[in-house]
Amino acid sequence: MVQERKTLGLAAVTGSYVLWGFLTIFWSLLAQVNSVYILAHRVIWSLVFMGLYLVVTRRWGDVRAFRSRKTMLNCLLCGVLITVNWGMYIYAVNSGHVLQASLGYFIEPVVVALVGVIAFREKPTPAETFTFLCAVGGIL
């Protein structure tokens, strides 16, 4: 059972990265379409598929978490940040700045790690430190 879950996890991760790689090609094929229109479709279709997922998995009750005002505001803030992030990415690809957009996505986890260490005083493991240094080396 554990090996099956590991295999399924590896397949999911691999598939995600392959699809992520093709996503840039997909956006570039839509270069004539307004970036805001593409983003709006992404938001709407995400809502539709998430709703279908909740119905199929019978987890509609999980929506009760939004009864909390704090949870709702946190999710709203996260949604706005993700929308801005995706909007910038789609615009960058459609305006021919694929390399810059890719570098931004490569730098982002390094910045997040730094925020965790500096602002939240997280202590990275030796493996995490090594990974961080490799990423910084790649950026440089």
Side-chain angles (χ1 to χ4, degrees):
M1 180 70 173
V2 173
Q3 185 59 35
E4 290 175 13
R5 290 182 59 93
K6 285 183 180 181
T7 303
L8 182 60
L10 180 62
V13 167
T14 302
S16 296
Y17 280 112
V18 168
L19 288 174
W20 180 259
F22 283 114
L23 193 58
T24 302
I25 297 168
F26 179 68
W27 295 144
S28 65
L29 292 174
L30 296 175
Q32 293 81 8
V33 180
N34 186 315
S35 297
V36 175
Y37 185 76
I38 295 171
L39 182 61
H41 266 279
R42 179 168 172 78
V43 170
I44 291 167
W45 286 109
S46 294
L47 179 68
V48 168
F49 282 108
M50 193 63 209
L52 288 171
Y53 170 80
L54 291 173
V55 169
V56 168
T57 60
R58 297 179 184 190
R59 296 185 62 175
W60 195 252
D62 290 352
V63 177
R64 279 182 270 151
F66 292 111
R67 289 185 183 163
S68 161
R69 184 179 194 93
K70 182 180 177 183
T71 301
M72 179 64 87
L73 289 174
N74 282 337
C75 287
L76 180 64
L77 175 63
C78 290
V80 167
L81 292 174
I82 290 169
T83 301
V84 168
N85 176 284
W86 269 98
M88 290 174 60
Y89 179 67
I90 293 167
Y91 176 78
V93 170
N94 282 358
S95 62
H97 298 282
V98 177
L99 186 61
Q100 293 88 336
S102 298
L103 186 59
Y105 269 101
F106 192 70
I107 292 172
E108 186 265 342
V110 173
V111 173
V112 169
L114 280 175
V115 168
V117 170
I118 294 169
F120 300 111
R121 305 198 193 291
E122 293 180 357
K123 301 288 184 206
T125 66
E128 290 169 338
T129 301
F130 176 73
T131 303
F132 176 81
L133 292 174
C134 287
V136 169
I139 292 168
L140 294 175

